Amino acid sequence: MGNTTSCCVSSSPKHRRNNHSRLEPYRPEAELSREDTACNLQHISDRDYIDDLPMEYNPSDHPRASTIFLSKSQTDVREKRKSLYINHFTHISENKQNSGPMRRKYSSCSTIFLDDSTISQPNLKYTIKCVSLAIFYHIKNRELESRMVQDIFDEKLHPLSKTEVPQDYEKHNPEQKQIYRFVRTLFSAAQLTAECAIVTLVYLERLLTYAEIDICPANWKRIVLGAILLASKVWDDQAVWNVDYCQILKDITVEDMNELERQFLELLQFNINVPSSVYAKYYFDLRSMAEANNLSFPLEPLSRDKAQKLEAIARLCDDMYKDIRKNAKKRSVSADNLTVVRWAPAILS
């Protein structure tokens, strides 16, 4: 699904050439045992299967399991609907006095409004907004019971900037705009796609499920950074190097990025597969959450060029289905012939 380069990258290709400028002749070494190498990683055959987790607790692997962010967002949506119902007439009077009620675009016989976001080519700006909103609901509606925070994600231990982190930084939830600015900066600087944002959310929820941790004000930036780093390498054919992220975040080192990526992969148990059915589920759940929060995708009138393209695609699909129907009819006729041949001896006798 993406490139085949190694996930843990120490430097850019230019630096790599300098490291290999002096080559020494190959010298065979004695075989080392597992104890001598101090390798404590489990063999892949010894690991527990991820599928053993209940389906409702593992939405990033099972397409029928409901996403975590959608269930967390529905709590606030119900409260918003109650407040809107109570203050309905107040809002109407205020809108009339100020600028009038918001007008929603509806299709008619002469004009058809469509948004430019599809499952294969999502709208980048609004997809990042939806993913940021999902992360916001994860932080806001997290469990009250304090869970262990992994050291690698703790911003107090591994700051992303030289600015001193406040003492009570873990008590104040970030605003949605702050999360959006952080994600948008990384995506625009690294030139990542909208599909990568959806895969980022899949990896984030998979991390919370496997590692049994919560995303909170103390760790949300480094968790999101690790998910974006991994998603960009798995999804995009031309992956962003770790040293490139150090140019975006000036105060972070390559060694820190490598360690963040390594521990993120270990907590995921190296399960970076995202089935198409899971990707589709997250896409449509993001749209459902956006609609419930009045975060609608931009509607544009259907142009003549787009209408012709849609018509051409419809004809192509229609021709394909015609061929399938013809083949199905042929199979049924051959079955009838076999039936006739089968019963012919009985008729002759």
Side-chain angles (χ1 to χ4, degrees), residues 83-107:
S83 60
L84 287 173
Y85 179 78
I86 295 172
N87 302 321
H88 179 64
F89 297 102
T90 309
H91 284 296
I92 290 178
S93 60
E94 289 178 356
N95 287 332
K96 286 183 178 179
Q97 291 176 2
N98 296 332
S99 58
M102 292 180 63
R103 295 181 180 180
R104 188 175 179 180
K105 296 179 180 179
Y106 293 95
S107 301

Side-chain angles (χ1 to χ4, degrees), residues 122-125 127-128 182-200 224-241 244-245 248:
N123 183 283
L124 177 60
K125 179 180 178 181
T127 303
I128 294 177
F182 180 76
V183 178
R184 183 191 62 184
T185 301
L186 293 175
F187 269 74
S188 59
Q191 297 182 357
L192 302 178
T193 59
E195 298 93 330
C196 186
I198 299 175
V199 178
T200 297
V224 172
L225 176 61
I228 293 175
L229 171 66
L230 192 57
S232 64
K233 291 188 175 183
V234 174
W235 187 263
D236 289 342
D237 292 331
Q238 296 180 348
V240 183
W241 296 76
D244 296 329
Y245 285 99
I248 302 171

